[in-house]
Amino acid sequence: MDGVEVNGYTIGPGANLEGANLEGANLSQSYLQGANLKEADLTRANLKWANLKWANLKWADLGWADLGWAQADEDTEWPMGFDPVAAGVIFD
């Protein structure tokens, strides 16, 4: 699967988006499995139904991000103190 361009970044599986400014980006249904989103700004981003399995979201800003029905697994890394279940994330 090829990546797609969002805010000047190529979004796709395994993408290196460390520190990316994705504020307000529509990433609904994005395939971000294994992506590095460490320290990314995902404020107000739409991540509904996104595949976040194995993704690294350490220190990412997920303020007001919509994670409803996003998919994750036990290997998905979250910011300290973030509750993915309360945010609507589904674990497989």
Side-chain angles (χ1 to χ4, degrees):
M1 174 181 216
D2 290 334
V4 295
E5 191 85 10
V6 176
N7 290 11
Y9 299 97
T10 301
I11 308 296
N16 183 5
L17 300 164
E18 185 170 343
N21 179 2
L22 296 166
E23 181 178 354
N26 182 5
L27 302 170
S28 178
Q29 300 182 25
S30 292
Y31 189 70
L32 292 165
Q33 184 167 320
N36 179 12
L37 293 154
K38 183 179 175 182
E39 299 178 354
D41 183 356
L42 294 162
T43 307
R44 290 186 292 280
N46 179 357
L47 290 158
K48 277 188 171 182
W49 300 291
N51 182 336
L52 298 171
K53 294 178 182 178
W54 308 324
N56 180 355
L57 291 142
K58 282 186 176 179
W59 300 295
D61 187 345
L62 294 169
W64 300 284
D66 188 348
L67 288 149
W69 297 99
Q71 297 176 6
D73 60 16
E74 66 277 356
D75 294 317
T76 303
E77 298 183 66
W78 301 99
M80 188 182 311
F82 182 77
D83 184 350
V85 173
V89 174
I90 304 300
F91 283 83
D92 290 334

